[in-house]
Amino acid sequence: MNSGDLIQSRYRLQRLLGSGASGSVWAARNELIDRDVALKMMRPDVAEDAVALQRFFNEAKASGRVRSPSIVEILDLGQAEDGSPFLVFELLEGEGLDERLRREGTIVPETLLEMLSGVARALELAHAQGIIHRDLKPANIYVTRGVNGQPVAKILDFGISKIFDTGHNFTLTRTGTVVGSPAYMSPEQAAGREDIDGRADIWSLGVVMYEALT
């Protein structure tokens, strides 16, 4: 993929925002409606892994189910001309909480409370709809600005979320398998237990807050 490429006759790639082993994220423009968006694209060879592909679309399912200003909004999904699956998100201007902490060291309590109270409410909504994030950490919290200039934090990356549906439990892991980021995991999640619930995310949010304050 290169800057200027047109995806599905409407998304014009503009600049690369980041890349990794599984794919890349681009700033793009939906030329049909003149809207700037972010495209998260998976490499075709990675998409051949059924679990990796399911996790990719699990992110769309989880993000689309929970509507909250503190969860990044998903707008579309599809497949590019070269076979790359992609997700389309709102384009955010700001930085990851991990980047902010590297720059500032700590965040004053009043600012942190204003920033993360919305995250806590978004987690409550997700848990009420049977979704557990399972990988809450500073790198998965993006800090942008609201319409009045106030800091707004948004949750990213529901790829390894646990989704409970009627008659189904989409965990994408084998019994005893540990997924997530060890430094932010509850003891139950670190032990690979299958019966974790929303309290695992609350633990992780507490660790994030402790890190930000200290």
Side-chain angles (χ1 to χ4, degrees):
M1 293 294 174
N2 299 292
S3 178
D5 286 353
L6 188 63
I7 307 299
Q8 281 199 346
S9 302
R10 59 185 183 276
Y11 298 114
R12 182 76 65 182
L13 300 184
Q14 294 183 324
R15 67 184 189 279
L16 184 65
L17 299 177
S19 61
S22 62
S24 56
V25 179
W26 287 82
R29 188 167 185 81
N30 185 330
E31 295 190 335
L32 296 183
I33 60 173
D34 290 331
R35 176 171 180 172
D36 292 325
V37 297
L39 256 71
K40 184 175 184 178
M41 308 194 71
M42 174 179 274
R43 285 174 24 205
D45 58 317
V46 177
E48 294 177 1
D49 182 329
V51 171
L53 184 61
Q54 183 58 51
R55 283 180 175 171
F56 192 73
F57 289 111
N58 205 38
E59 182 172 1
K61 184 181 181 74
S63 299
R65 179 186 288 186
V66 185
R67 300 300 301 275
S68 166
S70 294
I71 294 177
V72 63
E73 182 182 6
I74 183 166
L75 306 172
D76 196 7
L77 59 83
Q79 190 171 34
E81 285 72 8
D82 68 351
S84 302
F86 67 83
L87 302 177
V88 183
F89 296 94
E90 61 177 318
L91 182 63
L92 301 174
E93 295 294 336
E95 62 184 347
L97 181 57
D98 57 334
E99 297 172 349
R100 180 160 179 165
L101 289 174
R102 277 196 293 270
R103 189 181 72 251
E104 297 185 3
T106 60
I107 299 175
V108 297
E110 294 79 9
T111 301
L112 186 68
L113 179 62
E114 184 177 19
M115 192 183 297
L116 295 186
S117 58
V119 170
R121 287 191 293 269
L123 288 174
E124 183 179 21
L125 288 173
H127 297 161
Q129 297 191 46
I131 299 172
I132 309 166
H133 190 283
R134 298 202 297 179
D135 197 23
L136 203 64
K137 57 186 177 182
N140 283 337
I141 297 175
Y142 198 88
V143 183
T144 183
R145 291 283 176 181
V147 292
N148 297 319
Q150 76 279 15
V152 175
K154 290 179 177 276
I155 303 172
L156 309 177
D157 199 354
F158 279 84
I160 65 167
S161 61
K162 187 173 186 177
I163 302 176
F164 295 95
D165 277 333
T166 303
H168 299 86
N169 177 3
F170 297 98
T171 62
L172 302 177
T173 56
R174 298 181 179 88
T175 300
T177 300
V178 178
V179 296
S181 302
Y184 302 91
M185 285 183 187
S186 68
E188 293 81 6
Q189 185 175 348
R193 284 175 48 173
E194 284 293 306
D195 60 346
I196 67 166
D197 55 30
R199 290 172 291 184
D201 286 342
I202 296 172
W203 174 286
S204 299
L205 183 60
V207 177
V208 170
M209 294 179 71
Y210 179 85
E211 179 180 355
L213 290 169
T214 62

